[in-house]
DNA sequence: AGTCGTCAAGAGCGGTGCTCTCGTTTTCTG
DNA sequence: CAGAAAACGAGAGCACCGCTCTTGACGACT
């Protein structure tokens, strides 16, 4: 039964995969705005209306591309983190940051789809919430592990966090970053926004013609942020 | 002579202004993708081809909207900075940050046009470079003034900047932020990317359903970043 | 073997940016 | 002042888009 039904379903799955693949290639070359169902159909030798048997609308196709993008980015981050020495927490943070930057520069249009302006009105259905936080999850694992290893020590700073706000942060991030004190979470949040702010600036061209060499500047910023968070070697 | 010529040119300028105004309203409601020359023409009671007498292409219309956006944001930032006590440098930094965030939240689609994914292939002609750095210019003025007032003192940090990189930063930002030492510039750069990273996250919906109250969290982050930069009261 | 669901194809709708042509009107000039 | 020149709005049209609906053929299940 499964075998007979699979005859149909297998070709269907294959065609679906092929559509997504062609769409991703179009996305990579033309950008999100240039993704056209008709062009995908043309490249597949199908007529445009046939695509709608597989994706009910252009936005649905975009949504799967978005999910794939989050997964690809998350995978890259996970790989980079796993390759770093487990107790070198500043190093793991730096590896995470460079993974994000490298992936974004290698896939600018997909990065724009994930972290740029929302494309249509906007969509973002619920299936996205899982892959969307894969990078954050890695970050949380690093922070939690550093905290457990006693390698998350607040640097001397003239600025203290409001205890109420710190508690709120602790509560709302308890699942992703368990055990991390609230003030460290707030510092980590600043570092996180700085990371994506930098990458967005660079990918979206705001840094055009600024520093001669952006890579060492990025690396310095990343390490300084790691120190600001309070990460030390375990 | 000017009066006679103005007969035509005045109505032309007026129509141009009206086109931009309608376009901005469409941009605010529909987003950059929903901006349609035909819709603008329809709303003006003109035929679509007539618009091309005033803007040679849709991208040109978008470009003027972008320039206007940079100017509006820059003006808001300048106003906020001017309203703060001149020698309260952490306060001026905080005012700048809140001005950026408030403006972005009030004009999300225009913010997306400025700091989101570049719209078509992308454009960004040279007329943009002036208004584009109005916010950065204010930031530079704050930093330079703080430095002159002796209110820019590096906080105790376990992380030192590479002198070569600091020198490079000093050289490339000498015009915008004269007199500011390189290591402070590097810290300021991190704070800058953190600011825009935060605002982009918030405007683009990445913070959806995170903290209950984003405003106090933002304010804390901003003040912590100010301390990280090394800003103190003069 | 017959029925029913799935599929690709085609035509078509309303929308887009943009081009070209054609009268008209305004401006500049001889 | 009259005529040339430039600017203008209107309209038709091209190629493209997302999306819908119908039609006919093929495959799968009873």
């Amino acid at each position: 039964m499964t075998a007979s039904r699979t005859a149909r379903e297998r070709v269907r799955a294959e065609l679906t995969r092929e559509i997504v693949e062609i769409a991703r290639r179009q996305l990579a070359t033309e950008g999100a705005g240039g993704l056209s169902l008709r062009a995908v159909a043309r490249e597949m030798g199908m007529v445009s209306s046939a695509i709608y048997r597989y994706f009910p609308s252009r936005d649905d196709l975009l949504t799967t591309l978005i999910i794939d993008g989050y997964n690809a980015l998350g995978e890259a981050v996970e790989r980079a983190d796993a390759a770093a020495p487990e107790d070198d927490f500043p190093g793991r943070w730096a590896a995470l940051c460079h993974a994000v930057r490298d992936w974004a520069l290698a896939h600018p249009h997909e990065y724009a789809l994930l972290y740029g302006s929302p494309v249509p009105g906007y969509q973002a259905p619920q299936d996205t919430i899982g892959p969307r936080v894969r990078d954050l999850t890695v970050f949380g694992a690093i922070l939690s592990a550093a905290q457990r290893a006693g390698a998350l020590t607040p640097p001397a700073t003239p600025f203290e966090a409001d205890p109420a706000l710190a508690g709120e942060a602790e509560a709302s991030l308890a699942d992703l970053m368990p055990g991390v004190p609230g003030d460290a979470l707030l510092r980590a949040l600043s570092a996180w926004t700085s990371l994506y702010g930098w990458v967005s600036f660079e990918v979206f061209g705001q840094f055009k013609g600024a520093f001669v060499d952006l890579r060492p500047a990025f690396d310095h910023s990343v390490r300084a942020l790691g120190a600001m968070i309070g990460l030390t070697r375990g």
Side-chain angles (χ1 to χ4, degrees), chain A:
Chain A
M1 160 187 171
T2 41
S4 61
R5 157 177 316 178
T6 4
R8 243 219 225 291
E9 288 199 345
R10 256 175 57 189
V11 58
R12 179 179 179 87
E14 177 58 31
L15 282 184
T16 305
R17 209 191 53 78
E18 191 179 344
I19 291 176
V20 172
E21 187 179 332
I22 293 179
R24 173 170 16 259
R25 206 169 55 236
Q26 285 201 4
L27 170 68
T29 61
E30 309 286 339
L35 198 165
S36 143
L37 285 188
R38 294 181 111 110
V40 173
R42 211 176 300 131
E43 190 164 337
M44 293 186 63
M46 291 170 73
V47 85
S48 70
S49 59
I51 300 284
Y52 289 84
R53 298 261 176 211
Y54 300 88
F55 291 92
S57 81
R58 178 178 181 273
D59 280 13
D60 288 80
L61 180 53
L62 266 181
T63 296
T64 79
L65 288 178
I66 289 176
I67 295 177
D68 286 7
Y70 277 123
N71 279 322
L73 172 60
E75 224 171 280
V77 168
E78 288 166 7
R79 254 200 319 271
D81 177 51
E86 200 177 345
D87 60 346
D88 178 11
F89 302 106
R92 288 174 67 182
W93 157 253
L96 182 157
C97 293
H98 276 97
V100 170
R101 176 173 180 266
D102 291 345
W103 188 89
L105 289 178
H107 310 88
H109 288 122
E110 288 169 79
Y111 178 83
L113 199 58
L114 304 184
Y115 291 101
S117 7
V119 197
Y122 55 28
Q123 66 292 348
Q126 294 298 13
D127 350 359
T128 323
I129 53 175
R132 167 173 256 156
V133 291
R134 277 179 78 165
D135 48 359
L136 236 191
T137 304
V138 173
F139 188 31
I142 296 175
L143 288 177
S144 288
Q147 170 70 18
R148 279 195 307 272
L152 184 54
T153 57
T157 164
F159 194 78
E160 302 294 330
D162 172 21
L165 188 61
E168 203 177 337
E170 237 169 287
S172 76
L173 288 174
D175 49 343
L176 269 179
M177 310 176 174
V180 182
D183 59 324
L185 287 177
L186 291 174
R187 288 194 304 275
L189 180 60
S190 292
W192 193 248
T193 57
S194 189
L195 163 63
Y196 276 96
W198 180 294
V199 173
S200 291
F201 272 174
E202 201 172 348
V203 172
F204 297 157
Q206 240 85 20
F207 276 164
K208 204 60 110 355
F211 292 84
V212 191
D213 239 354
L214 280 172
R215 185 171 186 90
F218 177 73
D219 191 63
H220 169 267
S221 178
V222 160
R223 297 187 181 279
L225 290 171
M228 183 201 71
I229 298 174
L231 292 173
T232 59
R233 295 187 79 105

